[in-house]
Amino acid sequence: MKMFNGYFSLLALASTAICATSAHAAPDMQALAEKSGCFSCHSMQTKVVGPAFVDVAAKYKGDAEAPARLAQKVREGGKGAWGRIPMPPHPNLKEDEALQLVNWVLSAGS
Ligand code: HEC
């Protein structure tokens, strides 16, 4: 009986780990985006100061280099892709956080 319990708690642990990396990735990114202030200029569906994230996703669909390029742009700021308003730099974001956020943005609407 003892062995059974061990087995089931291992299973439970394993499924928690899977959830953390797949199913619940989106809400975590939403929280990081909120914390990072992205939504003061962006929203998922409509243009605010910056482009809607669904529009960004559509624009770079199939562009294999977009994630790295956009992650750098989020961290360093930039302008010219959507109009004359620049996006300010976000130097507090770590490189991998910026990349995760951008991958999440690029998956918007799909
Ligand atoms: C102060 C306003 C502001 C904030 C805050 C902001 N953005 Fe932007 N963002 C913009 C503007 C304006 C553009 C359009 C820039 C351009 O035309 O090249 C943009 C463009 C983008 C793009 C597309 C870039 C391109 O070259 O097509 C992505 C991706 C993006 N933002 C993600 C983010 C993320 C993630 C955050 C939060 C960490 C964030 N933005 C925070 C204003 C903002």
Side-chain angles (χ1 to χ4, degrees), residues 32-42 48-51 53 56-57 59-60 69-71 73-75 78-90 93 97-98 101-102 104-106:
L32 180 59
E34 275 167 23
K35 201 179 80 185
S36 311
C38 312
F39 291 126
S40 44
C41 296
H42 292 280
V48 188
V49 179
F53 283 159
V56 175
K59 182 177 168 104
Y60 298 105
R69 206 171 61 231
L70 296 182
K73 178 158 172 172
V74 169
R75 290 185 75 223
K79 61 175 164 53
W82 295 87
R84 287 166 50 212
I85 310 171
M87 173 158 61
H90 297 84
L93 280 178
E97 286 176 331
L101 274 174
V102 163
W104 171 73
V105 167
L106 291 175

